[in-house]
PDB file of all heavy atoms in Angstrom:
ATOM      1  N   HIS C 253       7.384   1.200 -13.778  1.00  0.00           N
ATOM      2  CA  HIS C 253       6.322   2.193 -13.655  1.00  0.00           C
ATOM      3  C   HIS C 253       6.939   3.582 -13.723  1.00  0.00           C
ATOM      4  O   HIS C 253       7.710   3.981 -12.838  1.00  0.00           O
ATOM      5  CB  HIS C 253       5.577   2.007 -12.333  1.00  0.00           C
ATOM      6  CG  HIS C 253       4.546   3.059 -12.069  1.00  0.00           C
ATOM      7  ND1 HIS C 253       3.471   3.272 -12.890  1.00  0.00           N
ATOM      8  CD2 HIS C 253       4.441   3.967 -11.066  1.00  0.00           C
ATOM      9  CE1 HIS C 253       2.740   4.259 -12.411  1.00  0.00           C
ATOM     10  NE2 HIS C 253       3.309   4.707 -11.317  1.00  0.00           N
ATOM     11  N   ASP C 254       6.591   4.319 -14.768  1.00  0.00           N
ATOM     12  CA  ASP C 254       7.145   5.658 -14.963  1.00  0.00           C
ATOM     13  C   ASP C 254       6.272   6.762 -14.392  1.00  0.00           C
ATOM     14  O   ASP C 254       6.631   7.937 -14.468  1.00  0.00           O
ATOM     15  CB  ASP C 254       7.350   5.929 -16.464  1.00  0.00           C
ATOM     16  CG  ASP C 254       8.471   5.079 -17.050  1.00  0.00           C
ATOM     17  OD1 ASP C 254       9.542   5.018 -16.427  1.00  0.00           O
ATOM     18  OD2 ASP C 254       8.262   4.475 -18.116  1.00  0.00           O
ATOM     19  N   GLY C 255       5.119   6.397 -13.846  1.00  0.00           N
ATOM     20  CA  GLY C 255       4.185   7.401 -13.360  1.00  0.00           C
ATOM     21  C   GLY C 255       4.436   7.817 -11.928  1.00  0.00           C
ATOM     22  O   GLY C 255       5.542   7.707 -11.386  1.00  0.00           O
ATOM     23  N   PHE C 256       3.364   8.240 -11.284  1.00  0.00           N
ATOM     24  CA  PHE C 256       3.451   8.740  -9.909  1.00  0.00           C
ATOM     25  C   PHE C 256       3.683   7.603  -8.927  1.00  0.00           C
ATOM     26  O   PHE C 256       3.068   6.544  -9.027  1.00  0.00           O
ATOM     27  CB  PHE C 256       2.150   9.475  -9.558  1.00  0.00           C
ATOM     28  CG  PHE C 256       2.076   9.916  -8.119  1.00  0.00           C
ATOM     29  CD1 PHE C 256       2.658  11.101  -7.711  1.00  0.00           C
ATOM     30  CD2 PHE C 256       1.420   9.127  -7.182  1.00  0.00           C
ATOM     31  CE1 PHE C 256       2.588  11.501  -6.379  1.00  0.00           C
ATOM     32  CE2 PHE C 256       1.347   9.514  -5.847  1.00  0.00           C
ATOM     33  CZ  PHE C 256       1.938  10.705  -5.455  1.00  0.00           C
ATOM     34  N   TRP C 257       4.562   7.848  -7.979  1.00  0.00           N
ATOM     35  CA  TRP C 257       4.778   6.937  -6.859  1.00  0.00           C
ATOM     36  C   TRP C 257       5.313   7.750  -5.696  1.00  0.00           C
ATOM     37  O   TRP C 257       6.238   8.561  -5.873  1.00  0.00           O
ATOM     38  CB  TRP C 257       5.784   5.833  -7.215  1.00  0.00           C
ATOM     39  CG  TRP C 257       6.111   4.918  -6.064  1.00  0.00           C
ATOM     40  CD1 TRP C 257       5.398   3.836  -5.649  1.00  0.00           C
ATOM     41  CD2 TRP C 257       7.231   5.008  -5.174  1.00  0.00           C
ATOM     42  NE1 TRP C 257       6.011   3.238  -4.572  1.00  0.00           N
ATOM     43  CE2 TRP C 257       7.138   3.948  -4.259  1.00  0.00           C
ATOM     44  CE3 TRP C 257       8.312   5.888  -5.072  1.00  0.00           C
ATOM     45  CZ2 TRP C 257       8.068   3.741  -3.243  1.00  0.00           C
ATOM     46  CZ3 TRP C 257       9.243   5.694  -4.066  1.00  0.00           C
ATOM     47  CH2 TRP C 257       9.130   4.618  -3.165  1.00  0.00           C
ATOM     48  N   GLN C 258       4.734   7.569  -4.521  1.00  0.00           N
ATOM     49  CA  GLN C 258       5.174   8.352  -3.364  1.00  0.00           C
ATOM     50  C   GLN C 258       4.950   7.568  -2.077  1.00  0.00           C
ATOM     51  O   GLN C 258       3.815   7.218  -1.739  1.00  0.00           O
ATOM     52  CB  GLN C 258       4.402   9.673  -3.288  1.00  0.00           C
ATOM     53  CG  GLN C 258       4.746  10.533  -2.086  1.00  0.00           C
ATOM     54  CD  GLN C 258       6.175  11.034  -2.097  1.00  0.00           C
ATOM     55  OE1 GLN C 258       6.579  11.690  -3.056  1.00  0.00           O
ATOM     56  NE2 GLN C 258       6.940  10.743  -1.053  1.00  0.00           N
ATOM     57  N   PRO C 259       6.017   7.269  -1.334  1.00  0.00           N
ATOM     58  CA  PRO C 259       5.843   6.664  -0.020  1.00  0.00           C
ATOM     59  C   PRO C 259       5.520   7.739   1.012  1.00  0.00           C
ATOM     60  O   PRO C 259       5.718   8.935   0.761  1.00  0.00           O
ATOM     61  CB  PRO C 259       7.212   6.043   0.253  1.00  0.00           C
ATOM     62  CG  PRO C 259       8.158   6.976  -0.437  1.00  0.00           C
ATOM     63  CD  PRO C 259       7.432   7.457  -1.678  1.00  0.00           C
ATOM     64  N   MET C 260       5.031   7.319   2.162  1.00  0.00           N
ATOM     65  CA  MET C 260       4.792   8.237   3.267  1.00  0.00           C
ATOM     66  C   MET C 260       5.709   7.843   4.425  1.00  0.00           C
ATOM     67  O   MET C 260       5.304   7.152   5.351  1.00  0.00           O
ATOM     68  CB  MET C 260       3.324   8.212   3.708  1.00  0.00           C
ATOM     69  CG  MET C 260       2.980   9.260   4.761  1.00  0.00           C
ATOM     70  SD  MET C 260       1.242   9.218   5.269  1.00  0.00           S
ATOM     71  CE  MET C 260       1.149   7.590   6.032  1.00  0.00           C
ATOM     72  N   ASP C 261       6.950   8.274   4.340  1.00  0.00           N
ATOM     73  CA  ASP C 261       7.939   7.911   5.347  1.00  0.00           C
ATOM     74  C   ASP C 261       8.130   8.990   6.405  1.00  0.00           C
ATOM     75  O   ASP C 261       8.549   8.691   7.527  1.00  0.00           O
ATOM     76  CB  ASP C 261       9.292   7.628   4.680  1.00  0.00           C
ATOM     77  CG  ASP C 261       9.279   6.338   3.886  1.00  0.00           C
ATOM     78  OD1 ASP C 261       8.524   5.419   4.267  1.00  0.00           O
ATOM     79  OD2 ASP C 261      10.008   6.246   2.883  1.00  0.00           O
ATOM     80  N   THR C 262       7.874  10.235   6.052  1.00  0.00           N
ATOM     81  CA  THR C 262       8.179  11.365   6.929  1.00  0.00           C
ATOM     82  C   THR C 262       7.002  12.335   6.963  1.00  0.00           C
ATOM     83  O   THR C 262       6.118  12.282   6.097  1.00  0.00           O
ATOM     84  CB  THR C 262       9.416  12.126   6.417  1.00  0.00           C
ATOM     85  OG1 THR C 262       9.103  12.736   5.153  1.00  0.00           O
ATOM     86  CG2 THR C 262      10.618  11.183   6.242  1.00  0.00           C
ATOM     87  N   PRO C 263       6.985  13.255   7.936  1.00  0.00           N
ATOM     88  CA  PRO C 263       5.943  14.296   7.925  1.00  0.00           C
ATOM     89  C   PRO C 263       5.941  15.098   6.629  1.00  0.00           C
ATOM     90  O   PRO C 263       4.873  15.505   6.151  1.00  0.00           O
ATOM     91  CB  PRO C 263       6.322  15.165   9.132  1.00  0.00           C
ATOM     92  CG  PRO C 263       7.008  14.222  10.066  1.00  0.00           C
ATOM     93  CD  PRO C 263       7.795  13.297   9.171  1.00  0.00           C
ATOM     94  N   ARG C 264       7.105  15.309   6.053  1.00  0.00           N
ATOM     95  CA  ARG C 264       7.165  16.028   4.778  1.00  0.00           C
ATOM     96  C   ARG C 264       6.415  15.263   3.690  1.00  0.00           C
ATOM     97  O   ARG C 264       5.682  15.865   2.890  1.00  0.00           O
ATOM     98  CB  ARG C 264       8.626  16.226   4.371  1.00  0.00           C
ATOM     99  CG  ARG C 264       8.802  16.886   3.007  1.00  0.00           C
ATOM    100  CD  ARG C 264      10.260  17.037   2.665  1.00  0.00           C
ATOM    101  NE  ARG C 264      10.438  17.608   1.334  1.00  0.00           N
ATOM    102  CZ  ARG C 264      11.605  17.911   0.801  1.00  0.00           C
ATOM    103  NH1 ARG C 264      12.721  17.706   1.479  1.00  0.00           N
ATOM    104  NH2 ARG C 264      11.684  18.428  -0.410  1.00  0.00           N
ATOM    105  N   ASP C 265       6.589  13.939   3.642  1.00  0.00           N
ATOM    106  CA  ASP C 265       5.866  13.121   2.667  1.00  0.00           C
ATOM    107  C   ASP C 265       4.362  13.210   2.893  1.00  0.00           C
ATOM    108  O   ASP C 265       3.583  13.354   1.944  1.00  0.00           O
ATOM    109  CB  ASP C 265       6.298  11.655   2.769  1.00  0.00           C
ATOM    110  CG  ASP C 265       7.739  11.434   2.393  1.00  0.00           C
ATOM    111  OD1 ASP C 265       8.292  12.228   1.627  1.00  0.00           O
ATOM    112  OD2 ASP C 265       8.312  10.443   2.887  1.00  0.00           O
ATOM    113  N   ARG C 266       3.952  13.117   4.153  1.00  0.00           N
ATOM    114  CA  ARG C 266       2.524  13.192   4.472  1.00  0.00           C
ATOM    115  C   ARG C 266       1.941  14.537   4.035  1.00  0.00           C
ATOM    116  O   ARG C 266       0.859  14.599   3.444  1.00  0.00           O
ATOM    117  CB  ARG C 266       2.315  13.005   5.974  1.00  0.00           C
ATOM    118  CG  ARG C 266       0.854  13.030   6.416  1.00  0.00           C
ATOM    119  CD  ARG C 266       0.747  13.327   7.897  1.00  0.00           C
ATOM    120  NE  ARG C 266       1.345  14.616   8.204  1.00  0.00           N
ATOM    121  CZ  ARG C 266       2.041  14.883   9.302  1.00  0.00           C
ATOM    122  NH1 ARG C 266       2.247  13.950  10.210  1.00  0.00           N
ATOM    123  NH2 ARG C 266       2.537  16.087   9.503  1.00  0.00           N
ATOM    124  N   ASN C 267       2.650  15.608   4.319  1.00  0.00           N
ATOM    125  CA  ASN C 267       2.171  16.934   3.934  1.00  0.00           C
ATOM    126  C   ASN C 267       2.072  17.081   2.411  1.00  0.00           C
ATOM    127  O   ASN C 267       1.161  17.724   1.899  1.00  0.00           O
ATOM    128  CB  ASN C 267       3.086  18.006   4.517  1.00  0.00           C
ATOM    129  CG  ASN C 267       3.025  18.071   6.031  1.00  0.00           C
ATOM    130  OD1 ASN C 267       2.049  17.608   6.643  1.00  0.00           O
ATOM    131  ND2 ASN C 267       4.041  18.634   6.654  1.00  0.00           N
ATOM    132  N   HIS C 268       3.039  16.477   1.712  1.00  0.00           N
ATOM    133  CA  HIS C 268       3.016  16.517   0.242  1.00  0.00           C
ATOM    134  C   HIS C 268       1.795  15.787  -0.300  1.00  0.00           C
ATOM    135  O   HIS C 268       1.086  16.302  -1.185  1.00  0.00           O
ATOM    136  CB  HIS C 268       4.295  15.901  -0.301  1.00  0.00           C
ATOM    137  CG  HIS C 268       4.354  15.790  -1.797  1.00  0.00           C
ATOM    138  ND1 HIS C 268       4.181  16.873  -2.633  1.00  0.00           N
ATOM    139  CD2 HIS C 268       4.547  14.708  -2.614  1.00  0.00           C
ATOM    140  CE1 HIS C 268       4.279  16.485  -3.894  1.00  0.00           C
ATOM    141  NE2 HIS C 268       4.485  15.182  -3.908  1.00  0.00           N
ATOM    142  N   LEU C 269       1.504  14.617   0.238  1.00  0.00           N
ATOM    143  CA  LEU C 269       0.340  13.855  -0.205  1.00  0.00           C
ATOM    144  C   LEU C 269      -0.952  14.594   0.137  1.00  0.00           C
ATOM    145  O   LEU C 269      -1.896  14.608  -0.660  1.00  0.00           O
ATOM    146  CB  LEU C 269       0.353  12.468   0.433  1.00  0.00           C
ATOM    147  CG  LEU C 269       1.450  11.523  -0.049  1.00  0.00           C
ATOM    148  CD1 LEU C 269       1.513  10.279   0.833  1.00  0.00           C
ATOM    149  CD2 LEU C 269       1.240  11.133  -1.508  1.00  0.00           C
TER     150      LEU C 269
END
Side-chain angles (χ1 to χ4, degrees):
H253 175 61
D254 291 313
F256 174 84
W257 176 83
Q258 178 65 57
M260 186 180 64
D261 289 330
T262 66
R264 176 181 177 177
D265 295 334
R266 181 200 60 217
N267 293 339
H268 176 55
L269 291 170

